[in-house]
Amino acid sequence: MQRRREELVDLIDVADPAPDAAAKMESDIIRTSTIDAVNELEPKLRFVLVAHDLNGVSMAQIAEGEGLHLSVIYKRRAKAIGALRDIIGLRENMEDLVRRAGPR
């Protein structure tokens, strides 16, 4: 008994790593909204963005496949990202306006 050592510790409250229903629903809404915004891009801009950022195709491979200079592909990607930001920002502004106006 004298050599036996017991350590008493309080129970640790572990947070559940799984998202709750509200977080899952919000995540699904964000994903759907982003896909819709990407689909609104001009086809040539959407192609570069999807190929590079979603499918992992190198910019050099895209340029070679399209028969364009690499700098053109980089400019298209930058333009696609800017347009995507504009689309998402416009949607957020519209949602704010609707919220502020409230039901009539």
Side-chain angles (χ1 to χ4, degrees):
M1 289 271 295
Q2 292 176 345
R3 292 187 185 148
R4 192 170 81 183
R5 212 173 91 189
E6 274 187 52
E7 291 185 26
L8 300 176
V9 292
D10 292 337
L11 293 176
I12 299 172
D13 206 17
V14 178
D16 185 5
D20 62 357
K24 175 80 172 111
M25 196 165 87
E26 183 178 345
S27 175
D28 289 345
I29 290 169
I30 292 169
R31 182 180 300 108
T32 302
S33 178
T34 303
I35 291 169
D36 289 345
V38 169
N39 286 332
E40 286 184 34
L41 294 172
E42 287 180 48
K44 65 183 183 180
L45 301 180
R46 182 176 54 240
F47 171 76
V48 173
L49 190 70
V50 170
H52 180 69
D53 293 290
L54 299 180
N55 297 332
V57 179
S58 75
M59 297 294 272
Q61 287 175 320
I62 296 169
E64 184 178 323
E66 292 294 299
L68 298 169
H69 195 273
L70 186 59
S71 65
V72 172
I73 299 302
Y74 274 103
K75 287 175 187 172
R76 283 187 182 178
R77 181 175 176 268
K79 190 173 178 180
I81 291 170
L84 191 58
R85 283 185 184 134
D86 291 344
I87 292 167
I88 292 171
L90 182 62
R91 286 183 177 182
E92 288 173 350
N93 289 340
M94 292 301 293
E95 288 172 6
D96 286 345
L97 285 172
V98 169
R99 265 188 242 124
R100 277 189 255 147
R104 297 205 175 223

